[in-house]
Amino acid sequence: MRRNLWRRFSSTFAMGVVYAFTALALVPLGLVLWFTAVKGLPSVTHLDFFVNAQRPSGIPGGGVANAIVGTAIVVSLASLAAIPIGVLSGIYLAEYGAGRWASWVRLASDVLVGAPSIALGLFAFALVVVPQHHYSAIAASVALSVLMLPVVIRTTEGAVGLIPNGLRESGLALGLPRWRVSLQLILPAAAPGVITGALLAIARAAGETAPVLFTALGNQNLVFDPTRAMSTLPLVVFRDALTPYKDLQQEAWGAALLLMAMVLVINLGSRWVLRRQIRLARQL
Amino acid sequence: LAAAVDSARRPASIPRPPDRYRTFTAVVSWAAPAALILIVVVLFQQAWPSVTRFGLGFFIGTEWNQVTNHFGAAPFIFGTLVTSALALALALPVGIAVAVLLAEPGAQGIRGVLGTGIELLAAIPSVVYGIWALYVLAPWTLLHIETPATDHLASIPFLGGIPRQTSLFTAALVLAVMILPTLSAVSRDVIRAVPRGLRESTFALGATWWETTWKVVLPAARAGLFGATVLALGRALAETVAVAMVIGNRPEIPGSIFSPGYTLAAVIANEFAEATGDVYQGALVELGLVLILVTLTVNVLALLLVRSAQARPSV
């Protein structure tokens, strides 16, 4: 009897420990969100922060417009390459993905997700910066597109795989060729999931620092030419945070808050869309 | 007659048009494996000046001198291994606890909040972790963990010395937070793949929740949990900027975990843009090559473990 009491007590105790550890896991999330918001807010409440380019320490009115534009350009160029290739590869895996080759593609993209992002930077440096003899936004896009590719592939495969076979079969029964069934029936049905995957990949790429360090390099001026060096938001955070100047550190916190806000919006939004997609797919 | 019947049964004797769409998408899907191979080849080629000059001595050399062009990787390999191992030790109990709760049947409300929280933790850019760790976590750690620890535990090896804000320990702490999502998400999937019958029959025998979890479910998921741990290790090895901001960036093998150090990824991030000369650049790329080869091996191993754990037939 006493033994059973002990067993039940220890089980309850262990469950308490598990809950405590779980709460502990969420503490850093709360702390990071809180400190970024509190320390970043003084920066982002000025309009200058969004419309002016970076200025040296001591000169008021500096902003991160150059980095916002740079992030947009670098990530758009990367998406232009990564999203079409990723979506087509994902479709291949979902539609014809039973064979040996497909399992190699799957393994390669899963491994690529875990590849060190700094190595992707070195890769783009050797591939683009060395032959061109100067740093450029294009080089950064090459690195980021490799980073985005596996994310797009796997989310597309998941989204297309969710579409019930009935839709595919009814298309084929009507005499449509495979490519029309795939691109005009299945892909539109899977669009919310595919777009979500692309957005998640974009969010991840926009937040990366290591691959852009010695490809885009950074640039204090507002430039739109992708063959020139550019700054991105993570670069501003990284470089400014490590300076001894209070005003630049403040700028870094502001840029960090912008990044964080973007990532939060994309992630929470995509969760909502995905849940809706899964519910709709069940109804089909 | 037999031939006539046969041809009537098999309309497939009409030649099928080749599925060009399949060929096309298959060719496009070469991109991911090709990128992977190309990365390794390009890095190897760039690292060549350093590979030929230092040979295997590169891995045990402790000197990192841009003036004399003498480069050894030992301090960085040491720092990478120590911070990753420490991070894993810190994250493991928490990650498994989260995974156990997430895999638990029922408790929908908690699971939703917890799942979203863990996913957000994974989504925060590493540079944001970096600035937070530099200005918030590092000062706190120095005051509340490192100083008391060095005061009272200095006799234990690797815990003495003069504590610093930027140290191997601070870097490990940030890494622990950053690998937690990978660890708990993969562990959750692995625990979920444990056959339900196993849980239920254990409960039916009168075992408590903890006995079921600790003595039946977790051991059954052992191989997959090991895979999740290795996958998290791969993430820790590869992490760059957050570590570069708090590790102190000193290329030597420190005698204490509360002293500054350096990692493979961090030194590339800090020095590559200013590196001049074939040998210096080559040495940095060789560090990157070591890093990517190690993480790729670790990841392949982990993925195979996790997949075999999930593919097991259910009871």
Side-chain angles (χ1 to χ4, degrees):
Chain A
M1 199 57 214
R2 188 184 281 169
R3 185 153 174 262
N4 275 345
L5 209 64
W6 168 246
R7 285 177 54 219
R8 251 189 285 159
F9 167 75
S10 56
S11 182
T12 315
F13 179 76
M15 195 178 252
V17 171
V18 167
Y19 272 99
F21 271 168
T22 308
L24 190 66
L26 294 178
V27 168
L29 176 68
L31 288 176
V32 173
L33 290 177
W34 171 254
F35 277 102
T36 314
V38 167
K39 298 213 173 199
L41 267 182
S43 292
V44 298
T45 43
H46 297 291
L47 188 62
D48 284 345
F49 189 71
F50 297 94
V51 295
N52 289 349
Q54 282 177 283
R55 287 178 189 175
S57 173
I59 300 173
V64 293
N66 56 331
I68 296 175
V69 170
T71 308
I73 291 177
V74 169
V75 175
S76 316
L77 286 175
S79 310
L80 229 52
I83 291 176
I85 296 177
V87 167
L88 282 174
S89 306
I91 289 177
Y92 171 76
L93 290 183
E95 300 265 344
Y96 308 100
R100 178 166 283 266
W101 170 245
S103 69
W104 280 110
V105 175
R106 258 181 222 118
L107 185 67
S109 49
D110 283 350
V111 169
L112 209 50
V113 170
S117 53
I118 190 86
L120 301 183
L122 288 173
F123 168 67
F125 178 86
L127 210 64
V128 185
V129 178
V130 171
Q132 284 194 326
H133 300 294
H134 62 85
Y135 297 99
S136 69
I138 292 175
S141 313
V142 169
L144 290 182
S145 64
V146 177
L147 186 108
M148 293 171 71
L149 187 65
V151 182
V152 179
I153 292 178
R154 294 318 298 266
T155 47
T156 304
E157 188 195 354
V160 172
L162 269 180
I163 304 303
N165 249 329
L167 189 63
R168 196 168 288 122
E169 283 157 6
S170 41
L172 291 172
L174 289 172
L176 293 175
R178 286 288 309 232
W179 69 271
R180 291 192 65 172
V181 173
S182 175
L183 294 181
Q184 294 185 329
L185 272 179
I186 308 288
L187 195 56
V194 174
I195 293 169
T196 309
L199 280 176
L200 287 177
I202 287 172
R204 198 177 153 208
E208 275 289 347
T209 320
V212 295
L213 272 174
F214 32 81
T215 46
L217 192 71
N219 191 337
Q220 298 274 328
N221 306 313
L222 182 62
V223 285
F224 294 91
D225 178 3
T227 59
R228 290 179 58 190
M230 253 182 215
S231 197
T232 68
L233 283 171
L235 274 180
V236 171
V237 181
F238 183 62
R239 297 251 161 81
D240 282 1
L242 292 168
T243 61
Y245 309 110
K246 281 269 174 283
D247 53 344
L248 292 187
Q249 289 172 9
Q250 181 57 48
E251 191 174 85
W253 279 108
L257 180 58
L258 281 190
L259 268 181
M260 182 93 111
M262 178 201 69
V263 164
L264 282 189
V265 167
I266 292 182
N267 271 276
L268 291 175
S270 67
R271 272 180 79 82
W272 180 77
V273 172
L274 266 190
R275 217 174 282 159
R276 203 166 140 262
Q277 170 76 358
I278 290 172
R279 215 174 45 233
L280 284 178
R282 282 205 187 116
Q283 286 169 1
L284 266 176
Chain B
L1 185 79
V5 169
D6 202 37
S7 71
R9 271 204 198 128
R10 281 194 297 129
S13 58
I14 304 162
R16 269 176 67 184
D19 192 345
R20 289 219 187 83
Y21 179 65
R22 177 182 184 149
T23 319
F24 176 63
T25 51
V27 169
V28 172
S29 76
W30 276 77
L36 203 54
I37 294 166
L38 196 62
I39 290 169
V40 175
V41 170
V42 165
L43 291 193
F44 198 78
Q45 181 229 335
Q46 293 285 311
W48 193 244
S50 160
V51 173
T52 48
R53 179 156 174 168
F54 301 114
L56 286 176
F58 186 70
F59 299 101
I60 49 169
T62 54
E63 201 188 339
W64 189 260
N65 194 330
Q66 295 93 324
V67 183
T68 60
N69 252 354
H70 236 88
F71 301 104
F76 312 107
I77 295 174
F78 175 85
T80 306
L81 290 180
V82 168
T83 48
S84 301
L86 255 178
L88 213 51
L90 290 169
L92 204 55
V94 179
I96 301 287
V98 172
V100 164
L101 267 198
L102 283 175
E104 193 72 13
Q108 283 290 343
I110 294 179
R111 247 182 23 209
V113 174
L114 188 59
T116 311
I118 295 295
E119 240 170 70
L120 289 184
L121 212 53
I124 294 174
S126 56
V127 74
V128 176
Y129 278 117
I131 190 174
W132 172 74
L134 182 61
Y135 287 107
V136 182
L137 184 68
W140 185 88
T141 325
L142 177 68
L143 207 61
H144 298 284
I145 299 179
E146 297 194 353
T147 309
T150 45
D151 284 351
H152 301 295
L153 307 170
S155 52
I156 303 171
F158 310 118
L159 293 182
I162 301 157
R164 293 289 170 84
Q165 280 198 11
T166 51
S167 65
L168 292 173
F169 179 75
T170 315
L173 210 54
V174 191
L175 277 179
V177 175
M178 298 181 73
I179 62 175
L180 195 64
T182 309
L183 192 57
S184 46
V186 180
S187 304
R188 172 201 59 193
D189 294 344
V190 169
I191 294 174
R192 270 199 196 146
V194 172
R196 272 180 75 140
L198 219 53
R199 278 178 71 92
E200 284 161 7
S201 37
T202 316
F203 275 125
L205 286 171
T208 61
W209 175 81
W210 177 241
E211 286 162 350
T212 311
T213 306
W214 186 249
K215 293 183 178 163
V216 176
V217 176
L218 290 183
R222 202 175 38 217
L225 290 179
F226 183 67
T229 312
V230 177
L231 209 57
L233 175 70
R235 296 286 187 277
L237 294 172
E239 180 46 47
T240 310
V241 280
V243 172
M245 288 170 91
V246 293
I247 199 166
N249 301 334
R250 193 181 291 174
E252 56 192 46
I253 297 179
S256 162
I257 57 167
F258 300 124
S259 306
Y262 227 150
T263 67
L264 291 168
V267 69
I268 305 171
N270 283 328
E271 297 190 358
F272 191 78
E274 274 101 44
T276 46
D278 276 357
V279 180
Y280 188 12
Q281 271 199 359
L284 285 167
V285 178
E286 192 174 350
L287 295 181
L289 187 67
V290 171
L291 184 65
I292 195 170
L293 289 179
V294 170
T295 48
L296 291 190
T297 316
V298 160
N299 279 327
V300 169
L301 183 78
L303 286 168
L304 294 179
L305 275 169
V306 171
R307 279 189 197 170
S308 70
Q310 284 174 332
R312 228 176 294 151
S314 58
V315 171

